[in-house]
Amino acid sequence: MRYVPGSHKLGYMTHVPLEREDSAISFVLDPELLAKLPSPVACDIPAGGVSLHDPVVVHGSEVNRSSRRRAGVAIHYMPSRCWFRRDIQTLGERLGGIKLDYADRPLVLVRGDCENLNNQHVIKL
């Protein structure tokens, strides 16, 4: 994997549709903008390893050319007083990308109590 150090401080950056059958994502950073950023830094992740980073850090990797599956997992934390709005389309979907269905996605309460009664499907650890 590669990432651009400090890119999380730049704010929202324009993304463009990615129309490739072999991709798990439907939008990528605008290549013209990417070319203006500092060179990415390589971060080797061994098999079974993980990368923990802020999602706004510019990051990515080349196409997986091995016969083995590459998995990605995103975990997002929010205060228990927040309302997880299941009715709002993601930016990617609004721009014509992949539709994510959050209707039944569970919310896992890591600690404390759920402070927003609008939240549904809350699992307390």
Side-chain angles (χ1 to χ4, degrees):
M1 186 173 85
R2 297 179 314 232
Y3 68 97
V4 177
S7 55
H8 63 290
K9 299 175 185 175
L10 301 174
Y12 177 78
M13 291 184 248
T14 304
H15 286 65
V16 296
L18 177 67
E19 297 179 15
R20 279 193 0 211
E21 294 280 329
D22 60 349
S23 181
I25 58 176
S26 54
F27 284 86
V28 296
L29 192 61
D30 184 331
E32 290 181 18
L33 178 57
L34 184 59
K36 295 176 185 175
L37 295 175
S39 296
V41 173
C43 175
D44 290 332
I45 303 173
V50 299
S51 168
L52 299 175
H53 56 269
D54 188 304
V56 297
V57 169
V58 174
H59 64 282
S61 61
E62 296 297 323
V63 172
N64 180 14
R65 300 193 190 288
S66 77
S67 60
R68 300 189 66 188
R69 180 176 157 269
R70 179 190 293 164
V73 176
I75 299 172
H76 302 269
Y77 289 90
M78 67 181 200
S80 63
R81 67 183 174 276
C82 292
W83 180 16
F84 183 73
R85 296 284 307 269
R86 297 171 186 278
D87 60 327
I88 297 176
Q89 291 179 315
T90 63
L91 176 61
E93 182 181 353
R94 288 194 308 267
L95 295 174
I98 299 169
K99 178 181 181 349
L100 301 174
D101 183 3
Y102 293 118
D104 296 319
R105 179 168 292 189
L107 300 178
V108 179
L109 193 61
V110 178
R111 67 183 174 125
D113 296 311
C114 180
E115 298 176 32
N116 192 312
L117 300 178
N118 291 310
N119 286 325
Q120 301 170 338
H121 310 297
V122 177
I123 299 170
K124 190 170 184 174
L125 292 181

